[in-house]
Amino acid sequence: MAFAIQNRRVEPVLELRNATLVRGGRAVLIDVSLTVRRGEHTAILGPNGAGKTSLIRMLTLDDRPLASENGTAPMRIFGREKWDLGDLRTRLGVVTGELDAGFGLGTSGGRVSGLDTAISGLLGSHGVFSHHEVTADMRDRAREALQRVEAPYLAAKPLNEMSAGERRRVLIARALVTRPDALVLDEPTTGLDFVARYRFMETVRRLATEGTTIILVTHHVDEVIPEIARVILLCKGSVAFDGRPADALTDDRLTEAFGAPMTVERSGEYYYVKVAR
């Protein structure tokens, strides 16, 4: 089922046309077609092994889909097939669990301040080093990004002294420092406790209302915030369903996608699931 877009003139953030991705000799995404447009906050939901990480790797240009037989581009980002990674980073912010786990560790043992972490988003680096020229405007933009995620108090604090929730906020500030049109969040609350998880998702909600297009990649149904207008269910490398949350987050659809009996409950604007024993 294709999701109906009322205004098809809105610029697409992501377009996939029968995209297939092969890694290690195996197809991990199979004939995937979807379009996500600016302002269309979207959740990509599925179990482990569904192809979510592979989709992220295509978005970050780490992997490329197979060329199509008819010559059409299998993937376009902001309407373009080819990108310089540095240029793409200014329009598409990406925060992944892999980035969180390894940021700064290879060069500084994590002793990167919150402000320098945010600034590094303008430099394409994992910190600010002696050969970098940092201007006053760059510092102002980094402080602005920290303010957007309610973390100006973390400007001087080293990453290795931050909680998991604080570190995640600072890495989002790093993604926001280029003022991107869209923000991709891959399993954003992994490792966060209940309170940090709630506060983090409230920050994401605010970013969505401020105009940054959110693409949320997760296997947690309760992370589908009210601002999400569309849910794409991935299963075994293919799109199993594409539609509004109320249509996607049903007992039958989630049971089929996750391979276990599930019951969906709704509390206000949020959805929760119970797995049958």
Side-chain angles (χ1 to χ4, degrees):
M1 172 181 175
F3 186 78
I5 306 295
Q6 291 183 348
N7 185 358
R8 295 187 179 274
R9 296 179 182 176
V10 177
E11 179 187 36
V13 173
L14 171 65
E15 298 172 272
L16 296 179
R17 292 289 177 266
N18 305 114
T20 294
L21 177 66
V22 175
R23 296 184 67 196
R26 182 174 68 89
V28 291
L29 289 174
I30 306 165
D31 201 29
V32 173
S33 294
L34 59 90
T35 299
V36 178
R37 297 181 183 273
R38 288 188 64 177
E40 183 185 14
H41 307 307
T42 300
I44 299 174
L45 181 71
N48 292 333
K52 303 189 303 298
T53 299
S54 297
L55 182 59
I56 293 289
R57 288 184 63 84
M58 285 203 309
L59 279 171
T60 55
L61 306 184
D62 290 310
D63 289 326
R64 305 279 181 152
L66 296 178
S68 63
E69 294 182 358
N70 61 10
T72 60
M75 181 177 73
R76 293 182 184 273
I77 304 175
F78 296 111
R80 290 170 52 184
E81 179 183 359
K82 296 181 180 180
W83 279 92
D84 173 82
L85 187 56
D87 292 339
L88 179 60
R89 193 181 294 119
T90 66
R91 297 199 63 187
L92 184 71
V94 181
V95 179
T96 66
E98 182 179 348
L99 176 67
D100 189 1
F103 187 90
L105 296 180
T107 52
S108 61
R111 295 184 297 275
V112 185
S113 72
L115 184 64
D116 281 355
T117 298
I119 290 172
S120 72
L122 294 167
L123 302 170
S125 62
H126 279 203
V128 176
F129 305 103
S130 58
H131 66 280
H132 287 138
E133 182 178 349
V134 178
T135 66
D137 178 66
M138 293 167 71
R139 294 190 182 280
D140 287 344
R141 290 178 65 168
R143 292 189 182 95
E144 174 191 306
L146 288 170
Q147 184 67 47
R148 288 191 67 188
V149 296
E150 298 180 332
Y153 66 98
L154 296 174
K157 191 172 184 178
L159 280 177
N160 63 347
E161 295 179 12
M162 295 182 192
S163 68
E166 289 173 335
R167 191 168 61 248
R168 207 70 49 83
R169 284 175 181 270
V170 167
L171 288 176
I172 288 188
R174 178 180 183 269
L176 292 174
V177 74
T178 60
R179 299 167 185 159
D181 297 307
L183 180 64
V184 179
L185 301 174
D186 179 25
E187 305 290 357
T189 66
T190 299
L192 304 189
D193 63 33
F194 177 79
V195 174
R197 196 165 181 252
Y198 171 80
R199 290 174 177 169
F200 181 86
M201 293 311 297
E202 286 297 294
T203 297
V204 175
R205 293 191 65 183
R206 192 182 68 257
L207 293 174
T209 61
E210 289 175 355
T212 301
T213 303
I214 302 296
I215 300 176
L216 174 67
V217 182
T218 184
H219 57 261
H220 294 295
V221 171
D222 58 357
E223 288 182 357
V224 180
I225 55 177
E227 287 71 23
I228 295 289
R230 176 186 184 190
V231 174
I232 297 169
L233 293 178
L234 277 186
C235 182
K236 298 179 181 178
S238 299
V239 175
F241 186 80
D242 181 354
R244 293 175 175 81
D247 298 322
L249 304 179
T250 66
D251 297 358
D252 291 344
R253 295 196 192 285
L254 292 183
T255 293
E256 182 178 359
F258 283 82
M262 291 187 172
T263 301
V264 181
E265 297 180 356
R266 188 168 180 175
S267 176
E269 297 179 287
Y270 285 87
Y271 295 83
Y272 303 89
V273 296
K274 290 184 179 180
V275 181
R277 294 183 179 181

